[in-house]
Structures are given as structure tokens and as C-alpha cells.
């Protein structure tokens, strides 16, 4: 907390600015896009504050940074989703989930967690299916598969049974779950029915998810520091 907390202060301030201003979504502008993306920009700074050499030498951290960059572009597209940019935002976040999955890695495999995540995602898609039409029938299926895969890789890294988990792996796991909650709320609100307080739920879980996933990138730095102390 002492080492990473101060680096996250700009993120918390930017998030507060977003919720205090609460700019209307009915009149999108570049200013509203900036305010929405500002917390993600601060997470870029958070990772860059660990040093360029750290990012270059640790692929997981650089991939999470790349995911945050695509997330910001996706956020900007979704500001103008009523003008036909929803699919563009969907594509940017799909790339984000691929990058996060790559950062979390494929070891340990944990097929049980994968099966459970597959059942959860299949159930969500089965519920959404009757509300979908046109290209969204396939696009949403692919998106759910990608975010479900990302969630599986984050959960698999925990290894609670083997007592091998770390706070950064826990951070990645909780972050992935919150990301799924945020996107499910978007899907329900966009395709099915109005969700009460949807915007607050979506953005609160989204910002928390991105912060936790960004925090998980410092794991390799912790291991490096531990080896030096040893």
C-alpha cells in the first residue's frame, strides 16, 4: 500500500471528477470523452511510473498497459455509441480482453475453473440470445467468449487450494470479475431492459476493475524485489 498507493492518487481524483461532474450522455463531446477516459489515462501513468525498463522486461505489464490503451479508445467510441460507434467500442474492448488474457498467461491451466466460467458465460448468452438480432447475435457471442476466457485466466492464477496465491493475483481475479459485471450490465441495459442506476453500476465496477487489473501488473516487480532482498 505504501509503495503503490501514492501512484494511484491521480486515478482516484480523476474518478471522483467523473462522478462529481456526471456529464449527460445525451450530448456527447470531446470534453465528456476526456473526463470519461481520464481515470484510464491515470492508470497509464501508474504503470509508466514503474519505469520503461520494467515494462519492456515484463511482458505481462506491457500487455496490461496496451489493454488500458485500447480500453481508453473503446471508452471514447462508446461516448458516441448512439451515433453508431457501439460496435467500434465493442471491438476495442475485445482486443483489451485478448491482451489481458495474454498477460495473465496459461499456467496453471485449471480446467475446472475454465469449465465453471464456460457455464456462467453460456448461461449469460442463452439469456441474452432472444434479445439479440442481426450481427449482434454473433458479435456478442464472440465478446462473451473473450471476456469469459479472460476471467478464466485471472481465476486460474489464484491457486487458492495450493496456497500459492498473491495479492496481485487476487487483484487480477477480482478485477476480471468486476469487468464481467460491468459488461453484463451494459448488455442487459443495451439489449434487454433498462437497468436501474445502470450507468453508476457500469462505471463504478469498470473503474474498479481496471484499477485492480493494473495493480496486478506489479507482481513481477514484487518478485524481483523479493529476490534482491533474499
Amino acid at each position: 500500500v505504501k509503495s503503490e498507493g501514492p501512484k494511484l492518487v491521480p486515478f482516484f481524483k480523476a474518478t471522483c471528477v467523473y462522478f462529481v461532474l456526471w456529464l449527460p450522455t445525451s450530448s456527447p463531446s470531446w470534453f465528456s470523452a476526456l473526463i470519461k477516459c481520464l481515470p484510464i489515462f491515470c492508470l497509464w501513468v501508474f504503470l509508466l511510473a514503474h519505469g520503461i525498463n520494467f515494462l519492456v522486461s515484463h511482458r505481462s505489464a506491457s500487455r496490461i498497459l496496451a489493454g488500458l490503451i485500447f480500453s481508453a479508445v473503446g471508452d471514447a467510441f462508446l461516448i458516441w455509441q448512439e451515433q453508431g460507434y457501439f460496435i467500434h467500442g465493442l471491438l476495442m474492448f475485445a482486443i483489451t480482453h485478448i491482451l489481458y488474457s495474454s498477460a495473465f498467461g496459461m499456467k496453471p491451466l485449471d480446467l475446472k475453473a475454465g469449465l465453471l466460467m464456460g457455464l456462467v458465460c453460456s448461461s449469460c448468452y442463452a439469456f441474452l440470445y432472444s434479445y439479440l438480432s442481426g450481427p449482434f447475435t454473433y458479435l456478442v457471442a464472440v465478446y462473451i467468449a473473450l471476456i469469459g476466457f479472460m476471467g478464466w485466466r485471472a481465476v486460474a492464477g489464484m491457486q487458492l487450494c495450493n496456497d500459492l496465491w498473491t495479492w496481485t493475483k487476487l487483484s487480477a481475479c477480482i478485477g476480471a470479475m468486476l469487468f464481467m459485471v460491468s459488461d453484463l450490465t451494459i448488455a442487459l441495459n443495451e439489449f434487454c431492459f433498462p437497468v436501474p442506476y445502470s450507468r453508476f453500476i457500469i462505471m463504478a465496477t469498470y473503474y474498479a476493475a481496471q484499477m485492480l487489473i493494473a495493480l496486478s501488473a506489479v507482481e513481477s516487480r514484487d518478485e524481483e524485489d523479493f529476490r534482491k532482498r533474499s
Side-chain angles (χ1 to χ4, degrees):
V1 173
K2 289 182 179 179
S3 62
E4 303 301 334
K7 299 185 186 77
L8 285 170
V9 169
F11 165 80
F12 288 119
K13 288 183 176 179
T15 303
C16 289
V17 168
Y18 174 83
F19 284 107
V20 168
L21 292 181
W22 203 244
L23 298 173
T25 57
S26 56
S27 54
S29 65
W30 284 108
F31 179 70
S32 58
L34 173 63
I35 295 301
K36 184 182 182 183
C37 295
L38 193 58
I40 307 303
F41 294 159
C42 292
L43 292 178
W44 297 3
V45 175
F46 166 75
L47 289 179
L48 289 169
H50 290 84
I52 298 297
N53 290 336
F54 169 72
L55 292 172
V56 171
S57 60
H58 297 91
R59 291 183 178 180
S60 60
S62 60
R63 287 168 184 172
I64 287 176
L65 176 60
L68 288 168
I69 292 172
F70 277 99
S71 294
V73 178
D75 281 331
F77 276 130
L78 291 180
I79 286 287
W80 286 277
Q81 62 179 323
E82 298 300 328
Q83 285 72 35
Y85 288 97
F86 183 80
I87 292 179
H88 298 73
L90 199 69
L91 175 61
M92 292 299 103
F93 280 106
I95 296 172
T96 294
H97 296 318
I98 292 172
L99 288 165
Y100 286 168
S101 299
S102 177
F104 298 149
M106 291 301 296
K107 295 180 181 180
L109 194 59
D110 197 348
L111 292 176
K112 291 181 179 179
L115 179 60
L116 178 60
M117 192 63 64
L119 290 172
V120 170
C121 291
S122 297
S123 300
C124 291
Y125 182 70
F127 178 81
L128 292 169
Y129 181 77
S130 60
Y131 295 94
L132 301 173
S133 61
F136 285 110
T137 304
Y138 311 103
L139 291 173
V140 171
V142 173
Y143 187 86
I144 289 177
L146 289 174
I147 194 172
F149 185 82
M150 185 272 290
W152 169 33
R153 298 322 309 148
V155 172
M158 281 289 294
Q159 300 186 76
L160 286 173
C161 296
N162 298 327
D163 198 28
L164 295 174
W165 65 277
T166 62
W167 72 268
T168 47
K169 290 178 180 177
L170 177 63
S171 177
C173 181
I174 297 174
M177 295 302 101
L178 288 175
F179 216 134
M180 294 178 74
V181 170
S182 179
D183 282 357
L184 178 59
T185 306
I186 291 175
L188 292 173
N189 195 65
E190 182 75 18
F191 301 113
C192 303
F193 48 78
V195 177
Y197 307 107
S198 60
R199 184 182 172 192
F200 177 81
I201 295 170
I202 291 165
M203 297 310 299
T205 52
Y206 170 69
Y207 285 141
Q210 294 282 40
M211 179 197 71
L212 290 169
I213 291 173
L215 269 173
S216 74
V218 304
E219 178 175 18
S220 49
R221 184 180 179 89
D222 289 344
E223 292 173 350
E224 188 178 83
D225 291 344
F226 178 77
R227 286 196 297 269
K228 288 179 179 178
R229 289 196 299 270
S230 300

Short mmCIF file of all heavy atoms in Angstrom, two decimals, residues 4-15 36-51 54-55 61-62 64-69 71-72 75 96 100 171 175 179 203-218:
data_model
loop_
_atom_site.label_atom_id
_atom_site.label_comp_id
_atom_site.label_asym_id
_atom_site.label_seq_id
_atom_site.Cartn_x
_atom_site.Cartn_y
_atom_site.Cartn_z
N GLU A 4 2.58 1.49 -3.64
CA GLU A 4 1.72 1.65 -4.81
C GLU A 4 0.61 2.68 -4.61
O GLU A 4 0.14 3.28 -5.57
CB GLU A 4 1.08 0.30 -5.17
CG GLU A 4 2.09 -0.81 -5.44
CD GLU A 4 3.05 -0.51 -6.57
OE1 GLU A 4 2.69 0.28 -7.46
OE2 GLU A 4 4.16 -1.07 -6.57
N GLY A 5 0.18 2.88 -3.38
CA GLY A 5 -0.93 3.80 -3.10
C GLY A 5 -0.74 5.20 -3.63
O GLY A 5 -1.63 5.73 -4.33
N PRO A 6 0.39 5.85 -3.36
CA PRO A 6 0.58 7.22 -3.86
C PRO A 6 0.51 7.33 -5.38
O PRO A 6 0.05 8.35 -5.90
CB PRO A 6 1.99 7.58 -3.35
CG PRO A 6 2.18 6.73 -2.14
CD PRO A 6 1.48 5.44 -2.46
N LYS A 7 0.93 6.30 -6.09
CA LYS A 7 0.89 6.33 -7.55
C LYS A 7 -0.56 6.28 -8.08
O LYS A 7 -0.81 6.63 -9.23
CB LYS A 7 1.68 5.16 -8.15
CG LYS A 7 3.15 5.14 -7.79
CD LYS A 7 3.86 4.01 -8.53
CE LYS A 7 5.31 3.84 -8.10
NZ LYS A 7 5.43 3.15 -6.80
N LEU A 8 -1.49 5.82 -7.23
CA LEU A 8 -2.90 5.71 -7.65
C LEU A 8 -3.73 6.93 -7.28
O LEU A 8 -4.90 6.99 -7.64
CB LEU A 8 -3.53 4.45 -7.03
CG LEU A 8 -3.11 3.12 -7.67
CD1 LEU A 8 -3.62 1.96 -6.82
CD2 LEU A 8 -3.65 3.01 -9.09
N VAL A 9 -3.13 7.88 -6.57
CA VAL A 9 -3.88 9.07 -6.16
C VAL A 9 -4.49 9.81 -7.36
O VAL A 9 -5.67 10.19 -7.33
CB VAL A 9 -2.99 10.01 -5.31
CG1 VAL A 9 -3.68 11.36 -5.10
CG2 VAL A 9 -2.70 9.36 -3.96
N PRO A 10 -3.74 10.04 -8.45
CA PRO A 10 -4.35 10.71 -9.62
C PRO A 10 -5.55 9.95 -10.17
O PRO A 10 -6.53 10.56 -10.59
CB PRO A 10 -3.20 10.76 -10.64
CG PRO A 10 -1.96 10.71 -9.82
CD PRO A 10 -2.29 9.82 -8.67
N PHE A 11 -5.48 8.61 -10.15
CA PHE A 11 -6.61 7.80 -10.62
C PHE A 11 -7.84 8.06 -9.77
O PHE A 11 -8.95 8.26 -10.30
CB PHE A 11 -6.24 6.32 -10.60
CG PHE A 11 -7.43 5.41 -10.73
CD1 PHE A 11 -8.00 5.15 -11.97
CD2 PHE A 11 -7.99 4.81 -9.60
CE1 PHE A 11 -9.11 4.33 -12.09
CE2 PHE A 11 -9.09 3.97 -9.71
CZ PHE A 11 -9.65 3.74 -10.95
N PHE A 12 -7.68 8.04 -8.45
CA PHE A 12 -8.82 8.25 -7.57
C PHE A 12 -9.40 9.66 -7.74
O PHE A 12 -10.63 9.85 -7.74
CB PHE A 12 -8.42 8.03 -6.11
CG PHE A 12 -8.18 6.59 -5.76
CD1 PHE A 12 -6.94 6.17 -5.31
CD2 PHE A 12 -9.18 5.64 -5.90
CE1 PHE A 12 -6.71 4.84 -5.01
CE2 PHE A 12 -8.96 4.30 -5.60
CZ PHE A 12 -7.72 3.90 -5.15
N LYS A 13 -8.54 10.64 -7.93
CA LYS A 13 -9.01 12.01 -8.14
C LYS A 13 -9.78 12.12 -9.45
O LYS A 13 -10.85 12.74 -9.51
CB LYS A 13 -7.83 12.98 -8.14
CG LYS A 13 -7.21 13.19 -6.76
CD LYS A 13 -6.08 14.23 -6.82
CE LYS A 13 -5.52 14.50 -5.43
NZ LYS A 13 -4.41 15.51 -5.48
N ALA A 14 -9.24 11.50 -10.52
CA ALA A 14 -9.91 11.55 -11.83
C ALA A 14 -11.25 10.84 -11.79
O ALA A 14 -12.23 11.27 -12.41
CB ALA A 14 -9.01 10.92 -12.89
N THR A 15 -11.32 9.73 -11.04
CA THR A 15 -12.58 9.01 -10.90
C THR A 15 -13.61 9.85 -10.16
O THR A 15 -14.79 9.89 -10.55
CB THR A 15 -12.36 7.68 -10.15
OG1 THR A 15 -11.38 6.90 -10.84
CG2 THR A 15 -13.64 6.88 -10.05
N LYS A 36 -14.29 10.96 -19.16
CA LYS A 36 -14.52 9.53 -19.01
C LYS A 36 -13.22 8.74 -19.09
O LYS A 36 -13.02 7.76 -18.35
CB LYS A 36 -15.50 9.04 -20.09
CG LYS A 36 -15.88 7.57 -19.93
CD LYS A 36 -16.81 7.12 -21.04
CE LYS A 36 -17.23 5.67 -20.86
NZ LYS A 36 -18.08 5.19 -21.99
N CYS A 37 -12.32 9.14 -19.97
CA CYS A 37 -11.07 8.41 -20.18
C CYS A 37 -9.98 8.79 -19.19
O CYS A 37 -8.98 8.06 -19.07
CB CYS A 37 -10.55 8.64 -21.60
SG CYS A 37 -11.63 8.00 -22.90
N LEU A 38 -10.14 9.91 -18.50
CA LEU A 38 -9.08 10.43 -17.63
C LEU A 38 -8.61 9.41 -16.58
O LEU A 38 -7.40 9.27 -16.38
CB LEU A 38 -9.54 11.72 -16.96
CG LEU A 38 -8.46 12.55 -16.26
CD1 LEU A 38 -7.35 12.93 -17.24
CD2 LEU A 38 -9.08 13.81 -15.65
N PRO A 39 -9.52 8.69 -15.90
CA PRO A 39 -9.02 7.69 -14.94
C PRO A 39 -8.16 6.62 -15.60
O PRO A 39 -7.18 6.15 -14.99
CB PRO A 39 -10.31 7.08 -14.37
CG PRO A 39 -11.34 8.16 -14.52
CD PRO A 39 -10.99 8.81 -15.82
N ILE A 40 -8.49 6.23 -16.83
CA ILE A 40 -7.69 5.23 -17.53
C ILE A 40 -6.33 5.82 -17.91
O ILE A 40 -5.30 5.13 -17.82
CB ILE A 40 -8.42 4.71 -18.77
CG1 ILE A 40 -9.83 4.22 -18.40
CG2 ILE A 40 -7.64 3.58 -19.43
CD1 ILE A 40 -9.86 3.15 -17.34
N PHE A 41 -6.31 7.09 -18.32
CA PHE A 41 -5.04 7.75 -18.59
C PHE A 41 -4.15 7.72 -17.34
O PHE A 41 -2.94 7.51 -17.44
CB PHE A 41 -5.26 9.21 -19.00
CG PHE A 41 -5.97 9.38 -20.32
CD1 PHE A 41 -6.63 10.57 -20.61
CD2 PHE A 41 -5.98 8.37 -21.27
CE1 PHE A 41 -7.28 10.74 -21.82
CE2 PHE A 41 -6.63 8.53 -22.48
CZ PHE A 41 -7.28 9.73 -22.76
N CYS A 42 -4.77 7.92 -16.18
CA CYS A 42 -4.01 7.91 -14.93
C CYS A 42 -3.44 6.53 -14.63
O CYS A 42 -2.37 6.42 -14.01
CB CYS A 42 -4.90 8.37 -13.76
SG CYS A 42 -5.36 10.12 -13.86
N LEU A 43 -4.14 5.47 -15.06
CA LEU A 43 -3.60 4.12 -14.90
C LEU A 43 -2.42 3.89 -15.84
O LEU A 43 -1.51 3.12 -15.52
CB LEU A 43 -4.70 3.08 -15.12
CG LEU A 43 -5.79 3.04 -14.04
CD1 LEU A 43 -6.85 2.01 -14.39
CD2 LEU A 43 -5.20 2.76 -12.66
N TRP A 44 -2.44 4.54 -17.01
CA TRP A 44 -1.24 4.51 -17.87
C TRP A 44 -0.06 5.07 -17.10
O TRP A 44 1.02 4.47 -17.08
CB TRP A 44 -1.43 5.37 -19.12
CG TRP A 44 -2.51 5.00 -20.07
CD1 TRP A 44 -3.41 3.99 -19.96
CD2 TRP A 44 -2.78 5.66 -21.32
NE1 TRP A 44 -4.25 3.98 -21.06
CE2 TRP A 44 -3.88 4.99 -21.90
CE3 TRP A 44 -2.21 6.73 -21.98
CZ2 TRP A 44 -4.42 5.38 -23.14
CZ3 TRP A 44 -2.75 7.13 -23.20
CH2 TRP A 44 -3.84 6.45 -23.77
N VAL A 45 -0.28 6.22 -16.48
CA VAL A 45 0.79 6.90 -15.73
C VAL A 45 1.24 6.02 -14.57
O VAL A 45 2.44 5.93 -14.26
CB VAL A 45 0.30 8.27 -15.22
CG1 VAL A 45 1.36 8.92 -14.33
CG2 VAL A 45 -0.06 9.18 -16.39
N PHE A 46 0.28 5.35 -13.91
CA PHE A 46 0.60 4.45 -12.80
C PHE A 46 1.59 3.38 -13.24
O PHE A 46 2.59 3.11 -12.55
CB PHE A 46 -0.67 3.81 -12.27
CG PHE A 46 -0.44 2.64 -11.35
CD1 PHE A 46 0.00 2.83 -10.05
CD2 PHE A 46 -0.66 1.33 -11.79
CE1 PHE A 46 0.23 1.75 -9.21
CE2 PHE A 46 -0.44 0.26 -10.96
CZ PHE A 46 0.00 0.46 -9.67
N LEU A 47 1.35 2.76 -14.38
CA LEU A 47 2.26 1.72 -14.87
C LEU A 47 3.57 2.31 -15.37
O LEU A 47 4.65 1.75 -15.12
CB LEU A 47 1.58 0.91 -15.98
CG LEU A 47 0.44 -0.02 -15.52
CD1 LEU A 47 -0.16 -0.75 -16.71
CD2 LEU A 47 0.93 -1.02 -14.48
N LEU A 48 3.48 3.44 -16.06
CA LEU A 48 4.70 4.08 -16.56
C LEU A 48 5.60 4.56 -15.42
O LEU A 48 6.82 4.64 -15.60
CB LEU A 48 4.33 5.25 -17.48
CG LEU A 48 3.72 4.87 -18.83
CD1 LEU A 48 3.16 6.10 -19.53
CD2 LEU A 48 4.75 4.18 -19.71
N ALA A 49 4.99 4.84 -14.26
CA ALA A 49 5.77 5.30 -13.11
C ALA A 49 6.72 4.22 -12.59
O ALA A 49 7.67 4.52 -11.86
CB ALA A 49 4.83 5.75 -11.99
N HIS A 50 6.46 2.97 -12.96
CA HIS A 50 7.35 1.88 -12.55
C HIS A 50 8.59 1.79 -13.43
O HIS A 50 9.47 0.98 -13.15
CB HIS A 50 6.59 0.55 -12.57
CG HIS A 50 5.55 0.43 -11.50
ND1 HIS A 50 4.28 0.93 -11.64
CD2 HIS A 50 5.60 -0.10 -10.25
CE1 HIS A 50 3.58 0.70 -10.54
NE2 HIS A 50 4.36 0.08 -9.68
N GLY A 51 8.61 2.58 -14.48
CA GLY A 51 9.79 2.64 -15.33
C GLY A 51 9.61 1.93 -16.66
O GLY A 51 8.97 0.88 -16.73
N PHE A 54 11.07 -1.59 -16.74
CA PHE A 54 10.20 -2.58 -16.11
C PHE A 54 9.15 -3.08 -17.11
O PHE A 54 8.92 -4.28 -17.24
CB PHE A 54 9.52 -1.97 -14.88
CG PHE A 54 8.40 -2.82 -14.33
CD1 PHE A 54 8.69 -4.00 -13.66
CD2 PHE A 54 7.08 -2.43 -14.46
CE1 PHE A 54 7.67 -4.80 -13.15
CE2 PHE A 54 6.05 -3.21 -13.96
CZ PHE A 54 6.35 -4.40 -13.30
N LEU A 55 8.54 -2.16 -17.85
CA LEU A 55 7.51 -2.54 -18.81
C LEU A 55 8.10 -3.34 -19.97
O LEU A 55 7.48 -4.29 -20.44
CB LEU A 55 6.81 -1.29 -19.34
CG LEU A 55 5.96 -0.52 -18.32
CD1 LEU A 55 5.47 0.79 -18.92
CD2 LEU A 55 4.77 -1.35 -17.88
N ALA A 61 3.14 -6.87 -17.83
CA ALA A 61 2.88 -5.47 -17.51
C ALA A 61 2.67 -4.65 -18.79
O ALA A 61 1.76 -3.81 -18.86
CB ALA A 61 4.04 -4.89 -16.70
N SER A 62 3.48 -4.91 -19.81
CA SER A 62 3.34 -4.15 -21.06
C SER A 62 2.03 -4.49 -21.76
O SER A 62 1.42 -3.63 -22.40
CB SER A 62 4.53 -4.42 -21.98
OG SER A 62 4.63 -5.79 -22.31
N ILE A 64 -0.76 -5.40 -20.23
CA ILE A 64 -1.83 -4.73 -19.48
C ILE A 64 -1.87 -3.24 -19.84
O ILE A 64 -2.96 -2.67 -20.01
CB ILE A 64 -1.64 -4.93 -17.96
CG1 ILE A 64 -1.99 -6.39 -17.61
CG2 ILE A 64 -2.51 -3.97 -17.16
CD1 ILE A 64 -1.75 -6.76 -16.16
N LEU A 65 -0.71 -2.62 -20.01
CA LEU A 65 -0.68 -1.23 -20.46
C LEU A 65 -1.33 -1.09 -21.83
O LEU A 65 -2.12 -0.17 -22.07
CB LEU A 65 0.76 -0.72 -20.49
CG LEU A 65 0.95 0.71 -21.03
CD1 LEU A 65 0.18 1.72 -20.20
CD2 LEU A 65 2.43 1.07 -21.10
N ALA A 66 -1.01 -2.02 -22.75
CA ALA A 66 -1.62 -1.99 -24.08
C ALA A 66 -3.14 -2.17 -23.98
O ALA A 66 -3.90 -1.51 -24.68
CB ALA A 66 -1.02 -3.09 -24.96
N GLY A 67 -3.58 -3.04 -23.07
CA GLY A 67 -5.01 -3.22 -22.86
C GLY A 67 -5.68 -1.96 -22.36
O GLY A 67 -6.80 -1.63 -22.78
N LEU A 68 -5.01 -1.23 -21.49
CA LEU A 68 -5.55 0.04 -20.99
C LEU A 68 -5.65 1.07 -22.11
O LEU A 68 -6.58 1.89 -22.13
CB LEU A 68 -4.68 0.57 -19.85
CG LEU A 68 -4.78 -0.21 -18.53
CD1 LEU A 68 -3.67 0.23 -17.59
CD2 LEU A 68 -6.14 0.00 -17.88
N ILE A 69 -4.70 1.04 -23.04
CA ILE A 69 -4.74 1.97 -24.17
C ILE A 69 -5.95 1.68 -25.06
O ILE A 69 -6.70 2.59 -25.43
CB ILE A 69 -3.43 1.89 -24.98
CG1 ILE A 69 -2.26 2.43 -24.14
CG2 ILE A 69 -3.56 2.67 -26.30
CD1 ILE A 69 -0.90 2.22 -24.77
N SER A 71 -8.61 0.18 -24.10
CA SER A 71 -9.79 0.49 -23.29
C SER A 71 -10.18 1.96 -23.42
O SER A 71 -11.36 2.30 -23.55
CB SER A 71 -9.54 0.16 -21.81
OG SER A 71 -9.38 -1.21 -21.61
N ALA A 72 -9.18 2.83 -23.37
CA ALA A 72 -9.45 4.26 -23.48
C ALA A 72 -10.06 4.59 -24.84
O ALA A 72 -11.00 5.40 -24.94
CB ALA A 72 -8.17 5.06 -23.27
N ASP A 75 -13.60 3.45 -24.71
CA ASP A 75 -14.41 4.40 -23.95
C ASP A 75 -14.82 5.58 -24.81
O ASP A 75 -15.96 6.05 -24.75
CB ASP A 75 -13.62 4.90 -22.73
CG ASP A 75 -13.62 3.89 -21.61
OD1 ASP A 75 -14.57 3.11 -21.49
OD2 ASP A 75 -12.63 3.88 -20.83
N THR A 96 -8.84 -5.62 -25.84
CA THR A 96 -8.39 -5.45 -24.45
C THR A 96 -8.41 -6.79 -23.71
O THR A 96 -7.45 -7.14 -23.02
CB THR A 96 -9.29 -4.44 -23.72
OG1 THR A 96 -9.12 -3.14 -24.29
CG2 THR A 96 -8.94 -4.37 -22.24
N TYR A 100 -5.34 -8.79 -21.96
CA TYR A 100 -5.34 -9.15 -20.54
C TYR A 100 -5.17 -10.66 -20.37
O TYR A 100 -4.45 -11.11 -19.48
CB TYR A 100 -6.64 -8.69 -19.88
CG TYR A 100 -6.72 -7.19 -19.64
CD1 TYR A 100 -7.93 -6.60 -19.27
CD2 TYR A 100 -5.62 -6.37 -19.77
CE1 TYR A 100 -8.02 -5.23 -19.03
CE2 TYR A 100 -5.70 -5.01 -19.54
CZ TYR A 100 -6.91 -4.44 -19.18
OH TYR A 100 -7.00 -3.08 -18.95
N SER A 171 -5.95 -9.51 -6.95
CA SER A 171 -6.37 -8.26 -7.58
C SER A 171 -6.83 -8.51 -9.02
O SER A 171 -7.88 -7.99 -9.44
CB SER A 171 -5.19 -7.28 -7.57
OG SER A 171 -5.51 -6.08 -8.24
N GLY A 175 -10.63 -8.03 -10.26
CA GLY A 175 -10.77 -7.09 -11.36
C GLY A 175 -11.49 -7.69 -12.55
O GLY A 175 -12.37 -7.07 -13.15
N PHE A 179 -15.10 -6.60 -14.13
CA PHE A 179 -15.20 -6.26 -15.55
C PHE A 179 -16.38 -7.00 -16.17
O PHE A 179 -17.15 -6.44 -16.97
CB PHE A 179 -13.91 -6.62 -16.28
CG PHE A 179 -13.53 -5.65 -17.37
CD1 PHE A 179 -12.22 -5.20 -17.47
CD2 PHE A 179 -14.46 -5.19 -18.28
CE1 PHE A 179 -11.85 -4.29 -18.47
CE2 PHE A 179 -14.10 -4.29 -19.28
CZ PHE A 179 -12.80 -3.84 -19.38
N MET A 203 -19.99 2.08 -14.54
CA MET A 203 -18.74 2.84 -14.42
C MET A 203 -18.00 2.54 -13.12
O MET A 203 -16.76 2.49 -13.10
CB MET A 203 -19.02 4.34 -14.55
CG MET A 203 -19.59 4.74 -15.90
SD MET A 203 -18.66 4.10 -17.33
CE MET A 203 -17.04 4.83 -17.08
N ALA A 204 -18.73 2.33 -12.02
CA ALA A 204 -18.07 2.03 -10.75
C ALA A 204 -17.34 0.70 -10.83
O ALA A 204 -16.17 0.59 -10.41
CB ALA A 204 -19.10 2.01 -9.62
N THR A 205 -18.01 -0.32 -11.37
CA THR A 205 -17.35 -1.63 -11.48
C THR A 205 -16.24 -1.60 -12.53
O THR A 205 -15.21 -2.26 -12.37
CB THR A 205 -18.37 -2.72 -11.84
OG1 THR A 205 -19.13 -2.32 -13.00
CG2 THR A 205 -19.34 -2.96 -10.69
N TYR A 206 -16.44 -0.81 -13.57
CA TYR A 206 -15.43 -0.72 -14.64
C TYR A 206 -14.15 -0.08 -14.14
O TYR A 206 -13.05 -0.62 -14.34
CB TYR A 206 -16.01 0.08 -15.81
CG TYR A 206 -14.99 0.43 -16.86
CD1 TYR A 206 -14.42 -0.54 -17.68
CD2 TYR A 206 -14.60 1.77 -17.06
CE1 TYR A 206 -13.49 -0.21 -18.65
CE2 TYR A 206 -13.67 2.10 -18.02
CZ TYR A 206 -13.11 1.11 -18.82
OH TYR A 206 -12.18 1.43 -19.78
N TYR A 207 -14.27 1.06 -13.48
CA TYR A 207 -13.06 1.74 -12.99
C TYR A 207 -12.35 0.89 -11.93
O TYR A 207 -11.11 0.81 -11.91
CB TYR A 207 -13.42 3.10 -12.41
CG TYR A 207 -13.73 4.16 -13.44
CD1 TYR A 207 -14.75 5.09 -13.24
CD2 TYR A 207 -13.00 4.25 -14.62
CE1 TYR A 207 -15.04 6.07 -14.18
CE2 TYR A 207 -13.28 5.21 -15.57
CZ TYR A 207 -14.30 6.12 -15.34
OH TYR A 207 -14.58 7.08 -16.29
N ALA A 208 -13.12 0.25 -11.05
CA ALA A 208 -12.52 -0.62 -10.04
C ALA A 208 -11.80 -1.79 -10.70
O ALA A 208 -10.69 -2.16 -10.29
CB ALA A 208 -13.60 -1.13 -9.06
N ALA A 209 -12.42 -2.36 -11.73
CA ALA A 209 -11.82 -3.49 -12.43
C ALA A 209 -10.50 -3.10 -13.08
O ALA A 209 -9.49 -3.80 -12.96
CB ALA A 209 -12.79 -4.01 -13.50
N GLN A 210 -10.49 -1.96 -13.76
CA GLN A 210 -9.27 -1.52 -14.44
C GLN A 210 -8.15 -1.22 -13.46
O GLN A 210 -6.98 -1.53 -13.71
CB GLN A 210 -9.57 -0.29 -15.31
CG GLN A 210 -10.50 -0.55 -16.47
CD GLN A 210 -9.80 -1.23 -17.64
OE1 GLN A 210 -8.97 -2.11 -17.46
NE2 GLN A 210 -10.14 -0.82 -18.86
N MET A 211 -8.51 -0.63 -12.32
CA MET A 211 -7.50 -0.33 -11.31
C MET A 211 -6.89 -1.62 -10.77
O MET A 211 -5.66 -1.75 -10.64
CB MET A 211 -8.12 0.46 -10.16
CG MET A 211 -7.12 0.79 -9.05
SD MET A 211 -7.91 1.28 -7.51
CE MET A 211 -8.61 -0.28 -6.96
N LEU A 212 -7.73 -2.62 -10.47
CA LEU A 212 -7.24 -3.87 -9.90
C LEU A 212 -6.39 -4.64 -10.90
O LEU A 212 -5.38 -5.26 -10.54
CB LEU A 212 -8.43 -4.71 -9.43
CG LEU A 212 -9.16 -4.17 -8.19
CD1 LEU A 212 -10.47 -4.91 -7.98
CD2 LEU A 212 -8.29 -4.26 -6.95
N ILE A 213 -6.80 -4.63 -12.16
CA ILE A 213 -6.00 -5.31 -13.19
C ILE A 213 -4.66 -4.60 -13.38
O ILE A 213 -3.62 -5.25 -13.55
CB ILE A 213 -6.79 -5.40 -14.50
CG1 ILE A 213 -7.96 -6.38 -14.34
CG2 ILE A 213 -5.89 -5.85 -15.66
CD1 ILE A 213 -8.92 -6.43 -15.51
N ALA A 214 -4.68 -3.27 -13.35
CA ALA A 214 -3.41 -2.53 -13.44
C ALA A 214 -2.51 -2.85 -12.26
O ALA A 214 -1.29 -3.00 -12.41
CB ALA A 214 -3.70 -1.03 -13.50
N LEU A 215 -3.10 -2.99 -11.07
CA LEU A 215 -2.31 -3.34 -9.88
C LEU A 215 -1.66 -4.72 -10.02
O LEU A 215 -0.57 -4.95 -9.52
CB LEU A 215 -3.20 -3.32 -8.64
CG LEU A 215 -3.31 -2.01 -7.87
CD1 LEU A 215 -4.37 -2.14 -6.78
CD2 LEU A 215 -1.97 -1.64 -7.26
N SER A 216 -2.36 -5.63 -10.70
CA SER A 216 -1.82 -6.99 -10.84
C SER A 216 -0.53 -7.00 -11.66
O SER A 216 0.23 -7.95 -11.59
CB SER A 216 -2.86 -7.90 -11.50
OG SER A 216 -3.01 -7.63 -12.88
N ALA A 217 -0.29 -5.94 -12.42
CA ALA A 217 0.91 -5.88 -13.27
C ALA A 217 2.18 -5.72 -12.45
O ALA A 217 3.27 -5.99 -12.96
CB ALA A 217 0.80 -4.74 -14.27
N VAL A 218 2.07 -5.31 -11.19
CA VAL A 218 3.27 -5.06 -10.40
C VAL A 218 3.77 -6.34 -9.73
O VAL A 218 4.77 -6.32 -9.01
CB VAL A 218 3.04 -3.98 -9.32
CG1 VAL A 218 2.54 -2.70 -9.96
CG2 VAL A 218 2.07 -4.46 -8.25
#
